[in-house]
Amino acid sequence: MTIRNIAGRRLAGAIAIAVSFVLAIASPIHAQTDPLPSWNDGAAKKAIIDLVTRTTTQGSADFVPEPERIATFDNDGTLWCEMPFYFQMAFAFDRIKAMAPQHPEWKTKQPFKALLQGDVATAAKAGEKGLLAIVAATHSGMTVPQFEGEVREWIRTARHPRFKRPYNELIYQPMLEVLNYLRANGFKTFIVSGGGMDFMRPWAPAAYGIPPQQIVGSSGVTQFRLNKEGKGELFKTAKVDFIDDGPGKPVGINRNIGRQPIIAFGNSDGDLQMLQYTSSGSGARLGLFVHHDDAVREYAYDRKSQIGKLDKGLNEAPKWGWPIISMKNDWKVIFPFEKQ
């Protein structure tokens, strides 16, 4: 082999290595280095990444052992849409209509009469008492598996009045990325919601990748009994057991998780105490509010809203150093189907 051939081969090899290096640092890899690709660069995104970096880097003053890396998320308005009214209430309203033939008394009894007439506004005037009556009628008197079956069928068939899609498709793509990012860095993710625990468990694991045992929510009294075949079962009664909202959220976290969160996400004043509890721990901590300020792609509401009211939270956020996540400015897309 001539010196010219050897030199040519060496040059070709060097070029090949250079090309491989350039390809290795090209845009596909760069895209993969962004853990939150549906987020615009801003204070909220930076705060999330900084918190994860500080708490997971060996030798960092803020390093947190993996068993203590707890992240909590409200559900309604934080992980999925909650307008024009809480989706669990949409489920209850549909159940009222389906159950009406077995309850002729509802034709003249409020708030059932209003719901059967499609008058949600009048039904809402019944207040907490009326709401509890609706929940009692639609969420009890059956076993836990029977109720879960009703929820699964509703999730499969019901459609949102505005977006015309199944309710479990109205989850937030940016928050899915946060869940995956945290889990990839050793965090255990929990739902801590004012919504019903038994309502969320049938569909939330597939939607968010969060197993049933990591879903904390409001609950009714459940009783164990033996059925006609002599087998044990859990039966849902109409009595309220625990309301996992407001100051109940830290209580629910302690009761069901047993560790103070490192990071917590909410969207309403009902999440305020959860964020305060999270931020009151030692070391690096972070609380964030999702602010619904995009009426074009989703909804815009905060201080005066009857659903997902965010008033005190907006006032408290600067005091605690909580970033406000602007759906309009921080999120490139809102729902997963927008990526298609």
Side-chain angles (χ1 to χ4, degrees), residues 151-170:
V151 174
R152 288 193 182 95
E153 179 63 13
W154 182 80
I155 285 289
R156 186 183 70 83
T157 59
R159 297 293 182 270
H160 188 273
R162 173 182 170 183
F163 296 105
K164 311 302 180 186
R165 288 179 175 269
Y167 285 87
N168 60 338
E169 290 186 9
L170 299 179

Side-chain angles (χ1 to χ4, degrees), residues 73-78 80-82 86-89 91 131 135 139 147 151 191-204 208 215-220 236 240-246 248-249 252 256 267-268 270-271 274:
F73 295 77
D74 170 58
N75 183 49
D76 297 308
T78 301
W80 74 345
C81 182
E82 63 182 354
Y86 298 121
F87 291 177
Q88 187 171 352
M89 289 299 98
F91 164 75
L131 178 61
V135 171
H139 290 56
F147 180 74
V151 174
I191 291 176
V192 180
S193 173
M197 180 176 64
D198 289 339
F199 174 76
M200 292 182 287
R201 285 179 171 175
W203 58 267
Y208 306 131
I215 297 176
V216 181
S218 298
S219 59
K236 292 176 65 65
V240 175
D241 178 32
F242 180 70
I243 301 298
D244 190 58
D245 197 39
K249 288 200 172 188
N256 295 279
N267 78 291
S268 74
D271 305 310
M274 178 172 70

Side-chain angles (χ1 to χ4, degrees), residues 91 95 139 172 190 192 196 200 212 217 230 254 256 269 291 295 332:
F91 164 75
R95 287 286 298 147
H139 290 56
Y172 299 140
F190 291 81
V192 180
M200 292 182 287
N254 180 67
N256 295 279
D269 287 352
H291 188 198
K332 298 176 183 178

Side-chain angles (χ1 to χ4, degrees), residues 7 9 53 66 100 126 165 180 208 258 267 280 295 316 322:
R9 289 191 177 186
T53 301
E66 193 163 321
R165 288 179 175 269
N180 290 331
Y208 306 131
N267 78 291
S280 295
E316 290 291 317
W322 299 331

Side-chain angles (χ1 to χ4, degrees), residues 29-330:
I29 298 300
H30 180 268
Q32 293 175 13
T33 63
D34 186 351
L36 305 175
S38 294
W39 292 67
N40 290 313
D41 292 332
K45 179 177 180 177
K46 182 179 184 300
I48 296 168
I49 294 175
D50 284 352
L51 185 281
V52 172
T53 301
R54 291 164 59 193
T55 56
T56 61
T57 301
Q58 289 280 357
S60 166
D62 295 313
F63 178 78
V64 175
E66 193 163 321
E68 299 176 21
R69 297 176 197 168
I70 302 299
T72 57
F73 295 77
D74 170 58
N75 183 49
D76 297 308
T78 301
L79 291 179
W80 74 345
C81 182
E82 63 182 354
M83 285 291 186
F85 38 77
Y86 298 121
F87 291 177
Q88 187 171 352
M89 289 299 98
F91 164 75
F93 298 162
D94 287 345
R95 287 286 298 147
I96 291 294
K97 296 174 184 176
M99 297 168 63
Q102 288 76 48
H103 295 273
E105 71 277 11
W106 287 353
K107 293 180 180 179
T108 57
K109 183 180 180 181
Q110 295 289 13
F112 304 98
K113 177 182 176 180
L115 288 178
L116 293 175
Q117 295 174 342
D119 186 358
V120 177
T122 297
K125 293 179 181 179
E128 183 178 353
K129 183 177 180 180
L131 178 61
L132 290 175
I134 293 170
V135 171
T138 57
H139 290 56
S140 65
M142 67 192 89
T143 66
V144 170
Q146 288 171 339
F147 180 74
E148 289 179 345
E150 297 288 351
V151 174
R152 288 193 182 95
E153 179 63 13
W154 182 80
I155 285 289
R156 186 183 70 83
T157 59
R159 297 293 182 270
H160 188 273
R162 173 182 170 183
F163 296 105
K164 311 302 180 186
R165 288 179 175 269
Y167 285 87
N168 60 338
E169 290 186 9
L170 299 179
I171 56 180
Y172 299 140
Q173 175 63 30
M175 297 305 290
L176 292 179
E177 294 171 2
V178 171
L179 289 168
N180 290 331
Y181 175 51
L182 290 170
R183 289 193 289 258
N185 284 277
F187 280 79
K188 185 171 287 188
T189 54
F190 291 81
I191 291 176
V192 180
S193 173
M197 180 176 64
D198 289 339
F199 174 76
M200 292 182 287
R201 285 179 171 175
W203 58 267
Y208 306 131
I210 298 176
Q213 66 271 23
Q214 289 169 213
I215 297 176
V216 181
S218 298
S219 59
V221 173
T222 303
Q223 296 177 343
F224 174 81
R225 68 183 188 181
L226 296 178
N227 60 22
K228 294 179 181 179
E229 290 75 33
K231 295 182 178 180
E233 64 183 15
L234 294 175
F235 186 79
K236 292 176 65 65
T237 76
K239 187 176 180 181
V240 175
D241 178 32
F242 180 70
I243 301 298
D244 190 58
D245 197 39
K249 288 200 172 188
V251 175
I253 291 170
N254 180 67
R255 176 190 291 188
N256 295 279
I257 303 174
R259 289 189 184 276
Q260 202 167 3
I262 300 297
I263 184 171
F265 293 79
N267 78 291
S268 74
D269 287 352
D271 305 310
L272 175 60
Q273 289 84 357
M274 178 172 70
L275 269 64
Q276 290 174 330
Y277 177 56
T278 298
S279 297
S280 295
S282 60
R285 305 274 170 164
L286 183 63
L288 302 97
F289 276 121
V290 174
H291 188 198
H292 294 261
D293 58 357
D294 194 330
V296 175
R297 295 186 298 171
E298 203 236 18
Y299 296 93
Y301 57 95
D302 45 45
R303 294 186 186 273
K304 297 183 179 180
S305 177
Q306 295 299 310
I307 302 293
K309 182 178 181 180
L310 181 60
D311 182 28
K312 294 179 181 178
L314 288 176
N315 295 336
E316 290 291 317
K319 305 176 186 177
W320 292 83
W322 299 331
I324 300 296
I325 301 168
S326 166
M327 297 182 82
K328 183 177 181 179
N329 299 319
D330 285 319

